[in-house]
Amino acid sequence: MPTDVNGGLATFSDQLILATVLLYVFAMIGYALDLGFGRSSRKTGTTGAAVPSLAASGTAARAKVAAGGAVQTLDRPAGASGGEDTGAGPEGSEAGRRTPAWAAHAATVAVALSWLGWAANLGAIATRGLAVGRWPWGNMYEFVVAICFAAVTAFLVMQARLPVRFLGAFVSLAAALGLGFAVRYLHVQAGPVVPALNSYWIAIHVTAAICASGLFILAGVAGVLYLARGEGPSRLPGRAELDRVAHRAIVIAFPIWTFAVIAGALWADKAWGRYWGWDPKEVWSFIAWIAYAAYLHARATAGWRGRAAVIIQLVAFGCLLFNLIGVNIFLSGLHSYAQVP
Amino acid sequence: MTTTEQTQDVQAAPAGLGPVGWLRWAWRLLTSMRTALILLFLFALASVPGSIYPQRSISPDKVAQYFKDSPQAAAWLDRLWLFDVFTSPWFAATYLLLFISLAGCVLPRAAAHWRELRRRPPAAPRNLSRLPQHAYFRTGEAATVESLAAVLRARRFRTVTGPGWVAAEKGYLRETGNLLFHAALLALLIAVGAGGLYGYRGNVLLVEGNGFANTVSAYDRYIPGQRVSPDSLEPFSFTLKDFQATYVAAGERRGQPLDFSASLRVADHPGAPERPYELRVNEPLEVNGTQTYLLGHGYAPTFKVLDGKGQVAFEGPVPCLTADQVTYTSECVIKVPDALPEQLGFLVRFLPTTVPAADGSWISIFPGMANPTAQVFAFSGDLGMNTGRPQSVYQLDTAKLKPLVMGLKTKPLAVGDTLPLPGGAGSIQLTGVREWISLQIAYDPGRGPALVAAALAVLGLVLSLTVRRRRVWVRVTEDGDGAARTVDVGGLPRTEGGDTAFAEEFGQIVTALTGVAPPSGAEDGPEPPGGSEDRAAPPRGSKDDEAAPRHQAEAGRSVTSSQEAEAGPAASPQGVKDAH
């Protein structure tokens, strides 16, 4: 097992993280400008009738767009927006409202900055891993960095295929805060891991947990926006759309989380002599799993759809965050080797 | 899991029912979705105290400490099973109710799904243009019902044909996966329970050079399941030849462990040839399903004690408890009841890497063994071992003993050094240092089935969350002259959230259908699906897949797209050929 640490590479990794935080912050500003001043088709609720004031302020064509389906109007690649703004958009809707020229480019710039930040984040993880010659998620610092990366990845992939760019400001903010927290409070010098973590299972179990967490963060952001957004007109998409985005992320994340828990049990069977022993980490991963299962069931039950389901989702998200970070800090257990300074 | 209708049915308890009625009401209440949700919450909530309070099954020492620190609170917590949360009656009640509720939901649904699997897709509704997806095109006479159905079958749709129409459905795996997932959870619970009944585990501490044979008496702590007999233990044995711990030697992480490795000589059964095995943290030893795990390690310095008469009263290794995980400063107790004229007792502080501290005492600065020494505190007197009260080998009650050698500042013994005891009481010599390992030996026959059940659960989950249920209908209308035909295609996604993906698939299906026969007129290309025409929104009473089987079971209760489809032409599907 390699014990030598490439100090130069490790320092480079730390610098890349700082660059990542800056890029995410700039991206967040870009997304926020886009959300606040950009093309306003984004504000259309998916339930066509939901936005009466919008129909009043816009033209007849706009009202038809609202009824026709927000998906088509929103599903435009970032690069296309600049060109379309030179004339009337296909909806003919831009004529009625003043969009600052710079704001049209804000989204494009924000997405580009996000990808740059994403690349820096990936670089930071890779150089950290190379510096220590092992999988780069052996302690809380590396774990949180990887989760932020997963959340941004989930967002960037999703926004390339679905009209969810409105999430950008909030996901970037969450990622920047997460990374800042990791750098400020969790950072430990790059180094080797304890023997218990020296297993190929770290690549399977922890990676699955990271992927699922990234998607759960996306869903959590959409859930918070759902509660924050009233029923009235808003620059955010309608509640139904937010609900759909959260559901879509959880539908992908939940099986991955299930797999992560099972992989953890398999690893525990190898390392600790039992596959399930109600260690605090196991308890809380189980609680989070149950809570997300409850969300999926609630969404299919009369009387629990909508707001109640969203609240359950956020409770589940709270359990997940506590499991990922709180358990290592507040409760003692077998997972406490994950080196919190 | 359970359908929406069911939950609504159980809102109010019916009055004036007989015992059967009440039973039925209670059963429907238990198996309703709302109850299942509440039980899920309770299950999660019930687990929380298990992570807050120390659990007997995990850390009995911490429970004992709790009793010592706050006996009154501990007694109350104990009464509520809060030190045994996961084996407590209330925890069992929660999950048993949940699983009964689950079974009561899964079984009827499995039956419904079985019927559905054998049923044909419902016939085409009258007006395909009212469906969420609709397209039509003109085509030649090669577009027969059969050839169009073949296109859908090639896309793995289940089809049925009638006079002038094709009905097709796909995505039955969604419900199959859903049922598989829930059934697998039941199987998992059974596997875990069986493992607990028929399995056992135990702990043992082994010093280098010593051996272990897998019998109940060899364990320091043995926890059998209720159905385990002592004779059923796998009769293997092994000897610990050597233990090696490697640590980071320098830098910020100096002292962090890197690798633990125990060299064993293993005999799989009595008389079997010995084989070497390197036991590591993530690499347990397996003998016929019984696993041996390396859990911990420590130091066992060896001592030789001469008593006042010059006889060897004690000789051998003394396993020490690790007092400090960073420096491996260890504490050990030697009891020498055979010493004459008086019994001798020793408290030993073992320092694996000894350096003098600034204040004149001696400390260890590294967990590895670079300069091992032992500080000895000697006592003489009655050790109290004949009183019949059990004593811990790691504790020495010094209250009634006479101190012989005390003081942290005396130079500790190096290996080979002898400390003469004052007053001719004898001497103690540090003869060497060995290491000990702590092992967990576990046999759990449920782990294989549990793994299979877990894998099936993931498979079922993925199916139930990714597969979309959808229906497509095709109607062929002859345009009078017999050569040209109009083909109407309608599509109905039956799974929430898959609308966009279905629109895409529907477009591909329509394109594939147009390929059956060349269009008779160039202007009649396929209508883009999800069309631009201002069609009225179709009734979407139940897009919810969960409720679908029930809707069909109670046909005619509510108007939904699928219901409408079933109320369509009641032609027998077999009659297709004759009609043409």
Side-chain angles (χ1 to χ4, degrees):
Chain A
M1 174 171 178
T3 61
D4 299 333
V5 174
N6 185 331
L9 213 50
T11 310
F12 181 56
S13 169
D14 292 349
Q15 289 163 345
L16 273 176
I17 284 294
L18 296 180
T20 309
V21 173
L22 283 179
L23 284 165
Y24 285 165
V25 169
F26 288 136
M28 179 197 74
I29 295 170
Y31 286 120
L33 290 176
D34 176 52
L35 199 60
F37 304 100
R39 294 162 48 81
S40 51
S41 63
R42 202 159 287 113
K43 69 164 68 167
T44 309
T46 42
T47 51
V51 203
S53 65
L54 201 77
S57 70
T59 60
R62 159 147 291 281
K64 191 184 173 190
V65 170
V71 173
Q72 276 138 319
T73 59
L74 295 175
D75 198 7
R76 185 173 293 117
S81 58
E84 279 164 25
D85 278 327
T86 54
E91 305 98 320
S93 61
E94 301 306 318
R97 62 183 42 252
R98 285 174 292 116
T99 303
W102 51 265
H105 300 288
T108 319
V109 173
V111 172
L113 283 172
S114 288
W115 278 111
L116 267 180
W118 179 86
N121 202 342
L122 178 66
I125 293 172
T127 46
R128 179 103 175 173
L130 288 173
V132 291
R134 59 169 170 81
W135 281 88
W137 27 82
N139 53 49
M140 282 306 286
Y141 168 72
E142 294 168 4
F143 187 61
V144 172
V145 167
I147 286 179
C148 293
F149 175 73
V152 173
T153 310
F155 163 71
L156 284 173
V157 170
M158 205 169 187
Q159 68 90 31
R161 320 177 82 221
L162 294 165
V164 294
R165 213 189 295 140
F166 64 89
L167 284 174
F170 307 97
V171 173
S172 305
L173 176 65
L177 285 178
L179 289 177
F181 176 76
V183 169
R184 175 67 185 81
Y185 296 104
L186 301 174
H187 185 265
V188 288
Q189 288 300 323
V193 290
V194 296
L197 287 176
N198 184 18
S199 164
Y200 57 89
W201 279 107
I202 197 171
I204 303 168
H205 165 60
V206 186
T207 308
I210 288 168
C211 292
S213 307
L215 284 159
F216 281 137
I217 288 175
L218 212 59
V221 167
V224 170
L225 292 181
Y226 182 103
L227 292 186
R229 186 200 193 287
E231 291 288 357
S234 160
R235 286 202 162 252
L236 291 169
R239 286 190 151 185
E241 176 69 15
L242 288 167
D243 186 41
R244 247 199 301 281
V245 169
H247 182 248
R248 191 179 270 263
I250 289 172
V251 157
I252 305 168
F254 187 67
I256 302 177
W257 181 251
T258 311
F259 173 77
V261 172
I262 291 171
L266 283 165
W267 188 4
D269 184 59
K270 272 259 180 260
W272 300 328
R274 81 290 184 295
Y275 55 86
W276 196 266
W278 299 108
D279 174 68
K281 198 78 160 184
E282 294 172 338
V283 172
W284 279 93
S285 66
F286 174 74
I287 292 172
W289 187 84
I290 291 268
Y292 276 112
Y295 162 76
L296 289 176
H297 285 86
R299 227 172 152 278
T301 308
W304 290 76
R305 290 191 188 92
R307 204 181 147 79
V310 171
I311 289 172
I312 295 174
Q313 194 247 113
L314 291 178
V315 169
F317 186 55
C319 294
L320 182 87
L321 285 186
F322 183 75
N323 180 44
L324 297 180
I325 297 162
V327 167
N328 293 63
I329 296 172
F330 300 115
L331 303 173
S332 71
L334 290 165
H335 281 76
S336 53
Y337 47 59
Q339 292 177 357
V340 184
Chain B
M1 208 42 243
T2 329
T3 62
T4 309
E5 285 84 342
Q6 247 174 320
T7 38
Q8 283 157 354
D9 288 345
V10 297
Q11 294 291 321
L17 278 183
V20 178
W22 277 103
L23 268 179
R24 180 171 295 173
W25 173 79
W27 176 250
R28 293 183 83 178
L29 181 71
L30 181 63
T31 56
S32 79
M33 185 63 151
R34 182 162 307 186
T35 311
L37 263 176
I38 291 167
L39 286 172
L40 270 175
F41 282 126
L42 282 179
F43 197 18
L45 206 61
S47 315
V48 175
S51 70
I52 295 172
Y53 297 107
Q55 298 295 299
R56 277 209 180 85
S57 57
I58 303 166
S59 41
D61 45 324
K62 281 188 191 159
V63 177
Q65 190 63 39
Y66 208 110
F67 269 92
K68 219 172 177 179
D69 293 348
S70 39
Q72 280 203 316
W76 272 105
L77 291 174
D78 202 26
R79 247 166 253 169
L80 297 170
W81 290 280
L82 285 170
F83 296 122
D84 307 278
V85 165
F86 302 106
T87 50
S88 69
W90 49 266
F91 190 75
T94 321
Y95 71 75
L96 285 179
L97 276 177
L98 180 63
F99 276 85
I100 291 170
S101 164
L102 200 153
C105 184
V106 165
L107 293 178
R109 272 185 72 150
H113 186 53
W114 175 245
R115 284 194 297 275
E116 178 129 340
L117 277 178
R118 295 192 302 169
R119 229 188 32 206
R120 293 156 189 283
R126 277 184 208 92
N127 194 353
L128 291 183
S129 65
R130 287 171 65 87
L131 291 172
Q133 295 293 336
H134 174 241
Y136 65 93
F137 55 90
R138 305 274 297 280
T139 184
E141 63 182 347
T144 62
V145 163
E146 265 313 310
S147 59
L148 293 170
V151 171
L152 286 165
R153 270 198 298 275
R155 301 182 76 89
R156 301 175 29 88
F157 271 84
R158 183 183 285 224
T159 63
V160 57
T161 53
W165 55 262
V166 183
E169 186 159 5
K170 191 177 173 178
Y172 293 83
L173 267 181
R174 182 183 183 86
E175 178 70 356
T176 310
N178 187 14
L179 293 168
L180 175 66
F181 169 70
H182 288 91
L185 288 188
L186 284 171
L188 184 62
L189 179 75
I190 293 167
V192 171
L197 278 181
Y198 293 95
Y200 66 87
R201 64 194 169 91
N203 298 87
V204 65
L205 184 146
L206 199 57
V207 177
E208 280 173 325
N210 291 1
F212 167 83
N214 191 22
T215 54
V216 172
S217 59
Y219 283 101
D220 297 329
R221 176 170 174 238
Y222 174 68
I223 309 163
Q226 286 173 353
R227 299 296 183 88
V228 178
S229 78
D231 315 329
S232 65
L233 271 60
E234 188 68 28
F236 65 91
S237 61
F238 52 78
T239 313
L240 176 61
K241 290 295 176 196
D242 183 33
F243 174 78
Q244 289 292 337
T246 328
Y247 303 93
V248 178
E252 188 184 289
R253 293 184 185 229
R254 180 187 154 86
Q256 182 196 307
L258 286 173
D259 187 33
F260 303 127
S261 177
S263 306
L264 304 182
R265 302 282 303 173
V266 184
D268 288 344
H269 52 85
E274 287 197 340
R275 63 183 169 102
Y277 188 84
E278 252 347 276
L279 185 68
R280 286 197 158 84
V281 172
N282 276 302
E283 296 163 26
L285 163 74
E286 171 161 359
V287 180
N288 272 337
T290 305
Q291 317 270 330
T292 303
Y293 302 87
L294 178 60
L295 287 192
H297 71 107
Y299 288 104
T302 56
F303 291 95
K304 184 171 171 184
V305 177
L306 298 182
D307 66 8
K309 306 208 161 180
Q311 306 287 320
V312 176
F314 176 89
E315 186 168 21
V318 181
C320 301
L321 294 181
T322 307
D324 178 30
Q325 290 287 335
V326 179
T327 62
Y328 262 77
T329 302
S330 308
E331 289 168 359
C332 6
V333 167
I334 313 171
K335 294 178 187 178
V336 193
D338 299 336
L340 294 171
E342 273 194 299
Q343 293 185 329
L344 294 174
F346 301 90
L347 291 175
V348 178
R349 229 171 129 243
F350 178 77
L351 309 167
T353 298
T354 318
V355 294
D359 62 353
S361 65
W362 304 80
I363 53 168
S364 172
I365 53 160
F366 190 69
M369 199 162 51
N371 179 26
T373 62
Q375 281 185 314
V376 175
F377 305 79
F379 301 86
S380 67
D382 182 8
L383 295 176
M385 293 172 82
N386 299 324
T387 57
R389 263 195 324 204
Q391 286 191 353
S392 165
V393 293
Y394 299 109
Q395 281 172 356
L396 183 70
D397 183 6
T398 56
K400 292 177 188 162
L401 298 177
K402 186 176 80 174
L404 295 177
V405 179
M406 300 301 288
L408 281 165
K409 308 215 168 163
T410 50
K411 191 175 185 329
L413 301 180
V415 174
D417 286 356
T418 305
L419 176 75
L421 300 176
S427 67
I428 179 166
Q429 182 188 19
L430 176 64
T431 53
V433 182
R434 294 196 220 165
E435 289 181 79
W436 58 258
I437 56 173
S438 61
L439 299 169
Q440 165 145 308
I441 292 151
Y443 171 67
D444 184 349
R447 55 200 275 279
L451 177 59
V452 173
L456 288 176
V458 173
L459 175 70
L461 191 60
V462 169
L463 286 177
S464 75
L465 290 178
T466 55
V467 174
R468 286 168 296 114
R469 188 86 173 264
R470 60 265 195 208
R471 285 179 180 162
V472 171
W473 289 279
V474 183
R475 176 168 288 124
V476 187
T477 327
E478 298 197 10
D479 285 358
D481 56 4
R485 292 157 180 225
T486 303
V487 176
D488 267 276
V489 191
L492 177 70
R494 297 190 61 205
T495 302
E496 183 201 13
D499 300 12
T500 329
F502 180 67
E504 206 169 284
E505 185 193 15
F506 186 78
Q508 292 165 2
I509 289 172
V510 172
T511 311
L513 288 173
T514 49
V516 169
S520 57
E523 77 277 9
D524 293 322
E527 178 109 347
S532 54
E533 60 177 321
D534 283 335
R535 53 186 159 72
R540 296 189 186 183
S542 166
K543 288 193 345 177
D544 187 359
D545 196 35
E546 310 278 10
R550 193 161 181 93
H551 275 303
Q552 280 147 10
E554 302 170 0
R557 238 182 76 172
S558 63
V559 178
T560 69
S561 305
S562 55
Q563 222 79 62
E564 199 176 42
E566 287 182 295
S572 73
Q574 288 83 358
V576 180
K577 289 266 158 62
D578 313 277
H580 277 266

